[in-house]
Amino acid sequence: MSRYAADVTALARKDLLLELRSRDTLPAMLLFVVSALAVFHFALPSGSSARAETGLLWIAIVFTALLGLTRAFSAEREQGLLDGLVLAPCDRSAIWLGKTIGVTAFLVLAEIVALPAFALFFHPLSWELVAAVALADLGIAAIGTLLAAIAAASRARELLLPLLFLPLAIPVVIGGVGASVGSNPASFLGFLGLYDAVFAILSWASFEYVVTE
Amino acid sequence: MLVGGIALALFWAPEDANQGFSQKIFYVHVPIALTAYASFGFGAWKALRLLWTGGTHYDLESYTAIHIGVIFGLLTLVTGSIWAKISWGYWWTWGERQLVLFLILFLFYSAYFMLRYSTEPGPRRERNSAVYALFGVVLIPVSFLAVRIAGTILHPTIFTHEGANLPGSMLFAFCVCLAGMLALAATLYRVELAGKRADQSLRELRELLA
């Protein structure tokens, strides 16, 4: 068990270190989310409700995540690293878990910038919104990592990932928007938690089949 | 059987007090929807068998079942939209949970086809498609729940139609229609699978000759 944890930590650390040295993904995500918020300001007619603004924030979050996920396996693919990882004497689901932790870290960092920017541009945040974003991050990272691995095996990688990801992200958006504008946020937060649990277990269990040749 | 069911539905079952004749589409729409679910479920079952046992013939079976499911899903959207137009005057209403759910599923399984077409044939594609098909069958209840809890907040009015308290004659006509639709789907599945298998063996033969 502790071996598994050590493998996961090593893999997640590798991703974070790689990003720290190359700075490929995170600056792009930050710039994208802030530009998207600026675009939304002009897309909304003046006098739009706070509910509409919150809905747009969720679009920004989902698309920023998509931007990060497209890059999730690019280093592995370019260097042919995935084959090496699969051959390494560790459980393959550890690869998924390590990658998911890395992706979650990127998402959280992007939102540490995005949420204050949203509060500055639009309206103050509620704690329900922050909680919903945190829960949504886990689900998006879990499912997105698996789908990114699936898409990496196809010819149309960058094109395919959004198509695979968005239908599965619809429940996240429903839960997130419901928790941030609805009158009963607890049930939506519960739903997001359930979504995370169900899809994390499913991705964890099925990752092995996706990467094995 | 399907024809018999529709005839029963049209001429024998009593008309709904509120919706009148347009309610007859219920006998087509709901069986199609249930058949689509059944096809998706069957496809996911085959996908699970593929991952479990590694038998490569499950790939084609799963693909065919999902293919049939998508056709029935599209028919559900069309018939549901016609029903919505007649009953409520709109072609599309986000308040109708089943329609929204089917739209999500339709998008999801269209992406499944994109995945299949853009991956090289081989064990990798079989397993990736199988994993994605399994995600689909988990997405059904999850989205159902999502659309259900969202219904109360994002859409103020929900149309609740047809509880379980159907009169006997309507229920009988409905069951006949459902059985007929399932039989139709099973037949289509057989035909399509035979066609796809023939196609595959033809391709293998060609490769051998080339």
Side-chain angles (χ1 to χ4, degrees):
Chain A
M1 195 62 222
S2 65
R3 217 189 114 61
Y4 190 82
D7 288 343
V8 171
T9 327
L11 286 161
R13 199 169 145 266
K14 176 212 69 163
D15 279 345
L16 295 176
L17 253 176
L18 210 61
E19 178 60 29
L20 202 65
R21 300 227 173 110
S22 66
R23 298 196 183 84
D24 270 345
T25 311
L26 196 56
M29 286 170 80
L30 294 179
L31 196 56
F32 178 84
V33 73
V34 176
S35 334
L37 289 177
V39 170
F40 288 157
H41 168 72
F42 296 108
L44 281 172
S46 61
S48 292
S49 68
R51 293 161 72 99
E53 291 165 5
T54 313
L56 285 183
L57 173 69
W58 279 94
I59 300 183
I61 287 172
V62 167
F63 280 86
T64 309
L66 207 45
L67 197 72
L69 288 169
T70 317
R71 302 279 308 162
F73 281 98
S74 62
E76 273 84 353
R77 208 181 56 238
E78 281 158 19
Q79 315 282 335
L81 194 66
L82 203 56
D83 295 334
L85 283 179
V86 170
L87 288 175
C90 71
D91 200 323
R92 270 128 200 183
S93 62
I95 305 175
W96 171 81
L97 196 53
K99 190 59 95 179
T100 303
I101 290 172
V103 170
T104 313
F106 289 176
L107 274 174
V108 168
L109 286 172
E111 274 139 18
I112 285 176
V113 173
L115 291 180
F118 179 80
L120 181 71
F121 289 164
F122 297 103
H123 59 84
L125 305 166
S126 62
W127 71 266
E128 289 96 349
L129 178 63
V130 179
V133 168
L135 280 172
D137 279 353
L138 293 176
I140 288 174
I143 206 160
T145 306
L146 182 90
L147 294 179
I150 289 184
S154 73
R155 266 173 280 135
R157 293 167 202 115
E158 286 80 8
L159 197 62
L160 192 61
L161 182 60
L163 297 177
L164 298 178
F165 177 73
L166 285 178
L168 283 162
I170 291 176
V172 175
V173 174
I174 293 176
V177 173
S180 29
V181 303
S183 54
N184 185 14
S187 70
F188 285 94
L189 289 176
F191 169 75
L192 280 174
L194 180 76
Y195 178 96
D196 290 354
V198 167
F199 279 104
I201 290 170
L202 194 60
S203 311
W204 177 77
S206 55
F207 187 75
E208 178 171 351
Y209 298 107
V210 171
V211 287
T212 324
E213 274 299 331
Chain B
M1 196 167 183
L2 181 63
V3 175
I6 288 174
L8 268 182
L10 282 180
F11 301 113
W12 186 55
E15 288 194 0
D16 186 90
N18 294 323
Q19 301 187 14
F21 187 73
S22 72
Q23 190 263 344
K24 300 290 189 197
I25 202 170
F26 165 75
Y27 298 107
V28 183
H29 172 69
V30 181
I32 290 179
L34 292 175
T35 309
Y37 282 135
S39 305
F40 290 143
F42 190 65
W45 166 245
K46 290 289 181 189
L48 187 65
R49 296 283 299 158
L50 171 86
L51 294 181
W52 201 273
T53 62
T56 45
H57 61 284
Y58 290 121
D59 178 51
L60 214 55
E61 291 171 10
S62 165
Y63 174 46
T64 313
I66 286 171
H67 195 153
I68 303 293
V70 167
I71 294 170
F72 276 84
L74 193 60
L75 282 174
T76 310
L77 284 177
V78 172
T79 53
S81 161
I82 293 170
W83 193 7
K85 172 68 183 165
I86 294 169
S87 309
W88 309 314
Y90 307 105
W91 286 110
W92 182 261
T93 157
W94 289 103
E96 177 47 53
R97 288 187 232 126
Q98 288 293 320
L99 279 184
V100 176
L101 181 57
F102 262 94
L103 183 69
I104 298 176
L105 286 180
F106 180 68
L107 292 174
F108 179 89
Y109 283 107
S110 305
Y112 173 86
F113 284 114
M114 293 295 293
L115 171 66
R116 279 196 78 95
Y117 289 137
S118 77
T119 313
E120 302 292 338
R124 191 85 187 265
R125 178 173 89 170
E126 286 164 12
R127 280 197 305 265
N128 283 0
S129 314
V131 167
Y132 201 62
L134 276 181
F135 270 73
V137 89
V138 175
L139 182 69
I140 295 175
V142 168
S143 316
F144 182 76
L145 189 63
V147 174
R148 195 178 190 94
I149 59 170
T152 53
I153 281 167
L154 302 178
H155 322 291
T157 46
I158 300 169
F159 302 94
T160 47
H161 58 91
E162 272 88 35
N165 48 354
L166 289 169
S169 60
M170 282 165 96
L171 188 65
F172 178 70
F174 172 74
C175 287
V176 173
C177 277
L178 179 60
M181 206 59 85
L182 284 171
L184 178 69
T187 318
L188 282 175
Y189 170 75
R190 288 245 179 90
V191 172
E192 185 71 21
L193 189 61
K196 283 207 168 81
R197 274 194 183 136
D199 206 39
Q200 198 179 32
S201 41
L202 189 67
R203 205 174 304 137
E204 278 165 8
L205 271 177
R206 268 206 199 118
E207 275 167 17
L208 276 178
L209 285 171

